[in-house]
């Protein structure tokens, strides 16, 4: 799977601010895309690489904070850096609680924004990695048969092959074969490994 | 009026005569000499003089002297003949009455003067207080106007400033590369100049707005004022996705009015309209500002919105100070606006808009009416 380079998305309806941020991000060699409105942003396909969003809180149409809520509902959440002309405290608190990476008041120091962008891209890189890992694990898990899943549950519960065979009323050999198939399909090298994989699948499902 | 004065004189005279009769009868009964009734009569006359007129006292004095002469002075029971004693008593009584009544009337007129002065003083004080209230109102005015404008201005200046700072950083970054990219440096310096010019424009616009105009007497083009204010709130309107429509009469005569104050009235009405449409989830967000002439040699300006409007029952209350239905409202906007408009001899009224929303309209006389203008 080839990954696209990191992309910074800037949404601001004010040309002075938008152009300046685009230039700043460009000058440090990052790919940047600019939008006048949240709608325009939503029309574009999100590149398949680390992304982050630099967003003006006060925008025509869907306000920055509402947009943040909308975006959180999708399956590809993008880290958001808010910029605002009104550094008002309740808004900051709301945005932070909703998971904004950073909240910068205009005019901001350019290094502050660049740091925030780097941080946000890192965060998205990690999140993407986790998402990708989880989805392969899930694919592997989905390839298990019903019986194999049951065997896996018993193995994780610390049961011996003999006990499992008695439970199912089959031979110990059969259980042994099923068990090794589970390990192979999930690419687990040991029972401990299997436990780790199960935990990851579990936490991914609960998200 | 005259009959009550007459009645009072009659009552006082009768009371005086009755007192003399009692003194005479009493003293005669217990056989006192001349001195006692003389003193008592004198007392009665002094008391009478304190309350009544000299005429009453004089009449009663003559009767008293008659009685004294008849019942107490030798020879007894002879009618009044002016001997030295009688003359003395009569003179005594008359002088006493005269002195007392003059003193009393002088005191009374002094007292009247004092109450008059007091009333004047109170009126003056009330006037001063009213002036102070107006001054306070004017101060609140300024503060509100400043508050509403500074938010707008701060934003307007902040945008290009943000651009300038970021572009300067970018230019510096291209400059400090191993091989400086002068093409890019030039480009971002150009953006800095553009944003700087934008900031300067904002400043000059504010300066034009704040230009001190002497109150009134200045001929004001209301259409121009409307456009000034529209420019000021352009961004607010844009952010709130409101369609602002102006319907300005082309033949609008200028009116004698204070420019800053009328800007404030307009700003208040428009801000209210925008706030009213804030709560709107659906439907058009239209704000219309219209100007025109009335048939009474007045000009009018109307601000109409498509908000929820107001309950007709609240119509009277809207313009009260501190009446607000907003959690962060101050309730001063409409009350200040109305006092400004009325100080210019005009009227500010509210009505429902068709098909929905509210319409606020004010009129201003083209010719200032000295009476209404100076009474404020
Ligand atoms: N355009 C409007 N539409 C509906 N209600 C309005 C409008 N303008 C004013 N009002 C009502 O009048 C009240 C008083 O307005 P105002 O004096 O400007 O004070 P404030 O805006 O601080 O509340 C508002 O709170 C609102 O209830
Ligand atoms: Mg208001």
């Amino acid at each position: 799977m080839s990954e696209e380079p990191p992309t910074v998305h800037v949404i601001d309806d004010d040309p002075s601010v938008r152009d300046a941020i685009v230039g700043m991000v460009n000058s440090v060699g990052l790919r940047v895309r600019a939008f006048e409105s949240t709608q325009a942003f939503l029309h574009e396909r999100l590149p398949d690489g680390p992304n982050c969003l630099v967003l003006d809180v006060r925008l025509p149409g869907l306000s920055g904070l509402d947009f943040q809520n909308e975006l959180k509902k999708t399956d590809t959440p993008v880290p958001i850096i808010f910029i605002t002309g009104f550094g008002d405290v309740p808004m900051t608190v709301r945005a932070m609680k909703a998971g904004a990476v950073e909240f910068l008041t205009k005019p901001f120091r350019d290094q502050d924004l660049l740091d925030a962008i780097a941080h946000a891209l890192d965060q998205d890189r990690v999140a993407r990695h986790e998402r990708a890992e989880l989805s392969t694990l899930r694919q592997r898990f989905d390839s298990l048969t019903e019986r194999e899943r049951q065997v896996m549950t018993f193995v994780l519960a610390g049961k011996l092959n003999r006990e499992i065979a008695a439970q199912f009323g089959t031979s110990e050999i059969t259980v042994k074969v099923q068990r090794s198939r589970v390990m192979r399909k999930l690419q687990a090298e040991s029972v401990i490994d299997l436990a780790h994989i199960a935990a990851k699948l579990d936490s991914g499902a609960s998200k | 009026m005259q009959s009550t004065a007459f009645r009072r004189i009659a009552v006082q005279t009768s009371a005086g005569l009755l007192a003399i009769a009692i003194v005479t009868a009493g003293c005669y009964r217990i056989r006192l000499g001349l001195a006692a009734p003389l003193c008592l009569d004198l007392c009665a006359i002094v008391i009478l003089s304190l309350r009544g007129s000299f005429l009453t006292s004089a009449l009663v004095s003559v009767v008293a002297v008659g009685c004294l002469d008849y019942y107490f002075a030798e020879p007894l029971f002879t009618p009044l003949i002016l001997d030295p004693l009688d003359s003395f008593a009569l003179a005594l009584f008359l002088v006493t009455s005269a002195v007392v009544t003059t003193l009393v009337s002088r005191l009374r007129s002094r007292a009247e003067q004092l109450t008059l002065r007091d009333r004047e003083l109170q009126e003056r004080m009330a006037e001063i207080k009213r002036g102070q209230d107006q001054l306070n109102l004017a101060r609140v005015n300024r503060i509100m106007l400043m508050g509403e404008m500074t938010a707008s201005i701060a934003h307007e200046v902040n945008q290009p400033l943000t651009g300038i700072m970021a572009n300067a950083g970018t230019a510096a970054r291209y400059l400090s590369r191993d091989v400086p990219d002068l093409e890019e440096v030039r480009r971002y310096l150009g953006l800095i100049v553009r944003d700087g010019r934008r900031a300067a424009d904002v400043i000059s616009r504010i300066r034009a707005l704040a230009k001190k105009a002497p109150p009134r007497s200045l001929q004001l083009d209301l259409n121009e004022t409307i456009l000034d204010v529209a420019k000021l709130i352009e961004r607010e309107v844009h952010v709130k996705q409101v369609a602002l429509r102006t319907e300005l009469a082309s033949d609008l005569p200028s009116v004698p009015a204070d420019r800053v104050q009328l800007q404030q009235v307009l700003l208040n009405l428009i801000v209210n309209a925008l706030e009213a449409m804030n709560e709107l989830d659906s439907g058009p967000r239209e704000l219309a500002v219209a100007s025109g002439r009335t048939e009474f040699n007045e000009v009018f300006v109307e601000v109409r919105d498509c908000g929820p409007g107001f309950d007709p029952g609240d119509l009277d209350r809207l313009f009260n100070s501190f009446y607000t239905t907003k959690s962060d409202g101050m309730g001063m906007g409409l009350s200040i606006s109305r006092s400004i408009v009325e100080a210019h001899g005009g009227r500010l009224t509210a009505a429902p808009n068709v098909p929905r929303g509210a319409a606020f309209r004010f009129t201003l006389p083209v010719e200032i009416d000295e009476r209404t203008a100076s009474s404020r």
Side-chain angles (χ1 to χ4, degrees), chain B residues 175-196:
Chain B
L175 209 53
S176 60
R177 284 191 176 176
D178 291 342
V179 185
D181 190 336
L182 294 182
E183 202 47 53
E184 290 293 329
V185 171
R186 191 168 299 126
R187 185 162 134 218
Y188 286 97
L189 289 182
L191 286 184
I192 291 177
V193 171
R194 178 194 73 176
D195 291 341

Side-chain angles (χ1 to χ4, degrees), chain A residues 4-9 30-33 47 49-53 78 121:
Chain A
E4 289 191 49
T7 313
V8 179
H9 305 262
L30 281 171
R31 196 160 74 148
V32 59
R33 288 172 166 189
N51 291 296
C52 83
L53 206 57
V78 188
L121 287 175

Side-chain angles (χ1 to χ4, degrees), chain B residues 36 41 51 57 86 123 144 151 160 174 220 229 243 261 276 295 300 352 367:
Chain B
D41 279 352
R51 329 226 67 214
S57 307
D86 291 340
E123 261 166 35
M144 292 238 320
Y174 280 116
L220 189 70
V229 173
Q261 290 191 355
E295 50 194 307
F300 74 85
E367 226 86 58

Side-chain angles (χ1 to χ4, degrees), chain B residues 338-361:
Chain B
R338 181 172 258 184
S339 55
I340 289 175
V341 170
E342 288 181 352
H344 284 81
R347 276 157 35 84
L348 170 63
T349 52
N353 186 24
V354 188
R356 65 211 193 94
F360 286 79
R361 175 191 174 101

Side-chain angles (χ1 to χ4, degrees), chain A residues 76-177:
Chain A
T76 48
V78 188
I80 298 180
I81 298 155
F82 276 111
I83 48 172
T84 175
F86 302 78
D88 84 5
V89 178
M91 221 183 222
T92 315
V93 171
R94 249 184 77 194
M96 283 297 187
K97 276 198 181 136
V101 175
E102 188 70 80
F103 204 102
L104 297 173
T105 310
K106 290 184 228 172
F108 42 79
R109 289 187 343 148
D110 58 347
Q111 200 52 50
D112 286 348
L113 181 58
L114 290 174
D115 288 349
I117 287 174
H119 180 61
L121 287 175
D122 276 348
Q123 195 174 307
D124 198 40
R125 207 169 276 129
V126 171
R128 273 177 59 81
H129 191 75
E130 278 173 1
R131 277 202 301 272
E133 196 182 39
L134 189 65
S135 92
T136 33
L137 283 182
R138 216 171 257 150
Q139 265 171 17
R140 288 173 194 163
F141 183 75
D142 287 346
S143 71
L144 298 185
T145 64
E146 189 60 32
R147 177 50 65 90
E148 282 163 1
R149 284 182 203 178
Q150 287 169 341
V151 170
M152 177 178 166
T153 318
F154 281 114
V155 169
L156 288 175
K159 294 275 197 299
L160 299 174
N161 288 354
R162 184 169 33 83
E163 293 168 317
I164 301 173
Q167 185 81 32
F168 292 145
T170 56
S171 71
E172 217 179 308
I173 297 287
T174 315
V175 172
K176 216 172 168 183
V177 170

Side-chain angles (χ1 to χ4, degrees), chain B residues 112-293:
Chain B
E112 263 160 28
Q113 259 177 14
L114 276 176
T115 31
L116 214 72
R117 182 104 37 97
D118 190 48
R119 196 170 310 144
E120 239 169 57
L121 222 78
Q122 265 171 6
E123 261 166 35
R124 185 90 50 86
M125 260 158 63
E127 217 166 86
I128 289 172
K129 198 167 163 316
R130 228 173 301 134
Q132 238 162 21
D133 283 352
Q134 241 161 37
L135 223 83
N136 285 341
L137 202 69
R139 197 167 302 140
V140 174
N141 256 353
R142 288 256 150 220
I143 292 168
M144 292 238 320
L145 180 66
M146 290 315 278
E148 253 151 44
M149 290 213 322
T150 38
S152 213
I153 291 163
H155 186 88
E156 288 290 313
V157 180
N158 217 15
Q159 296 293 98
L161 199 60
T162 304
I164 289 172
M165 279 177 65
N167 289 327
T170 303
R173 215 166 294 118
Y174 280 116
L175 209 53
S176 60
R177 284 191 176 176
D178 291 342
V179 185
D181 190 336
L182 294 182
E183 202 47 53
E184 290 293 329
V185 171
R186 191 168 299 126
R187 185 162 134 218
Y188 286 97
L189 289 182
L191 286 184
I192 291 177
V193 171
R194 178 194 73 176
D195 291 341
R197 200 169 287 143
R198 180 176 161 192
D201 278 351
V202 175
I203 303 291
S204 66
R205 211 184 311 147
I206 297 163
R207 200 169 286 149
L209 270 175
K211 208 182 275 169
K212 258 235 173 315
R216 233 160 284 154
S217 72
L218 212 80
Q219 285 299 335
L220 189 70
D221 179 354
L222 273 181
N223 283 345
E224 208 175 276
T225 311
I226 292 171
L227 293 176
D228 280 350
V229 173
K231 185 92 188 135
L232 195 72
I233 50 138
E234 206 171 45
R235 186 176 156 85
E236 201 66 24
V237 168
H238 175 60
V239 166
K240 298 199 163 146
Q241 295 198 300
V242 170
L244 172 63
R245 198 175 62 238
T246 47
E247 305 162 1
L248 308 182
S250 54
D251 61 340
L252 203 68
S254 55
V255 288
D258 183 296
R259 168 200 176 97
V260 174
Q261 290 191 355
L262 283 179
Q263 275 167 357
Q264 182 172 359
V265 171
L266 269 166
L267 198 64
N268 277 334
L269 298 183
I270 292 176
V271 166
N272 277 349
L274 290 177
E275 284 172 349
M277 290 192 287
N278 244 358
E279 281 118 59
L280 232 55
D281 292 327
S282 59
R285 293 165 165 253
E286 278 173 9
L287 170 62
V289 183
S291 68
R293 310 184 65 148

